Amino acid sequence: MSKVQQGMVMLIEAFHKYSGKEGDKNTLTKAELKDMLTAELGDFLGKTSDKAALDKIFKDLDANADGTVDFQEYVTLVACITMICHEFFTEGK
């Protein structure tokens, strides 16, 4: 498997590691999202103990306003963070 394919598998596995603990296995609730952000992206985002910040992240991600974050909305978050990291690491080049 190529590195890109491995990355895709890892994204899918990370989503499903947290989704479904509180209901639908294909979505993240706010609590599941918080757990995922803290455990998987804490180094980039810091700890997600700020309730207002978490509420804003969740609201911004929940594009269809159904009260959950589905896989497409999750991938959008990961892509945006990846773009920010790419810009940060390539600014000096």
Side-chain angles (χ1 to χ4, degrees), residues 29-31 33-34 37 47-63 65 67-69:
T29 64
K30 192 180 295 184
L33 177 66
K34 179 183 183 224
L37 291 174
K47 298 302 173 195
T48 53
S49 58
D50 180 351
K51 185 176 180 333
L54 179 64
D55 288 346
K56 178 162 179 26
I57 291 169
F58 190 83
K59 184 177 183 244
D60 290 346
L61 285 177
D62 186 14
T68 61
V69 172

Side-chain angles (χ1 to χ4, degrees), residues 83-93:
M83 288 171 40
I84 291 167
C85 291
H86 179 261
E87 290 169 7
F88 175 79
F89 288 114
T90 58
E91 275 182 358
K93 293 183 179 183

Side-chain angles (χ1 to χ4, degrees), residues 22-43:
E22 297 184 343
D24 187 346
K25 67 180 178 124
N26 294 309
T27 62
L28 296 167
T29 64
K30 192 180 295 184
E32 292 167 342
L33 177 66
K34 179 183 183 224
D35 290 346
M36 192 271 302
L37 291 174
T38 301
E40 304 293 336
L41 296 170
D43 292 344

